[in-house]
Amino acid sequence: MINIICVGKIKEDYLSSMIEDYSKRVSKYHKLNIIELKDSDIVSEGDLILKNIKTGDFIVTMEIEGENLSSIKFSKKIDVWLMNYANITFIIGGSNGIDNRVKELSNYKLSFGKNTFPHGVFRAILLEQIYRSFKILNNETYHK
């Protein structure tokens, strides 16, 4: 199972549509579960995130300080993670970042660059990159 734990609601219809579209695309390759949590202060968000992490999950925190990978390298990471763990859990924090307690549990810190993105846009980007990874892993064509 691929879990995406994210803080904050999507308010814009166009982003909801994009997220739904990429969620369906990913679901053709692997089970996907999006857990949307209420935004609050960083400690309360951390409490909610911690309640949704399962023992044995491979935890990937999305952090500006994390490693920035090409799409091909990201697909190779996903392939290895899926071979070794029942669940990969991606965590997207709120506007104040990710609680240090959650960061300490992270198995891998991933970045999509030094830029800051709106929450909904970033969620769509993550889903698109996961989808792209499956296309790469299955040697299927996808726009470059």
Side-chain angles (χ1 to χ4, degrees):
M1 170 87 65
I2 294 176
N3 297 300
I4 299 176
I5 298 174
C6 38
V7 175
K9 303 280 184 201
I10 303 300
K11 298 171 185 85
E12 301 86 354
D13 289 340
Y14 71 96
L15 287 174
S16 294
S17 294
M18 185 184 307
I19 290 165
E20 184 178 327
D21 178 51
Y22 280 113
S23 296
K24 286 178 184 175
R25 292 180 189 209
V26 170
S27 295
K28 291 178 183 176
Y29 294 94
H30 205 79
K31 289 184 179 180
L32 176 69
N33 181 33
I34 297 177
I35 302 162
E36 194 172 70
L37 305 175
K38 182 181 179 188
D39 56 347
S40 183
D41 62 273
I42 197 165
V43 174
S44 298
E45 291 171 358
D47 291 339
L48 291 172
I49 291 169
L50 291 169
K51 287 179 184 175
N52 283 281
I53 294 174
K54 295 182 181 84
T55 303
D57 285 5
F58 187 86
I59 300 166
V60 180
T61 48
M62 305 305 301
E63 303 182 40
I64 286 178
E65 304 83 19
E67 189 170 353
N68 192 352
L69 303 172
S70 69
S71 295
I72 291 172
K73 287 183 179 178
F74 181 53
S75 69
K76 290 177 182 176
K77 292 277 189 194
I78 285 183
D79 193 33
V80 169
W81 297 337
L82 288 173
M83 284 191 285
N84 292 293
Y85 296 90
N87 297 315
I88 302 173
T89 298
F90 291 91
I91 298 172
I92 304 171
S95 59
N96 295 313
I98 298 173
D99 186 299
N100 284 331
R101 296 170 297 160
V102 177
K103 287 182 179 184
E104 289 170 7
L105 293 176
S106 180
N107 298 104
Y108 192 83
K109 297 173 186 337
L110 179 64
S111 174
F112 286 162
K114 299 294 181 191
N115 297 320
T116 301
F117 297 98
H119 178 80
V121 171
F122 188 81
R123 193 185 309 184
I125 291 170
L126 175 60
L127 283 163
E128 190 280 335
Q129 285 297 297
I130 293 169
Y131 172 66
R132 183 180 296 271
S133 292
F134 283 114
K135 297 295 274 187
I136 291 168
L137 292 171
N138 287 286
N139 294 313
E140 297 173 1
T141 57
Y142 187 57
H143 65 278
K144 296 181 180 188

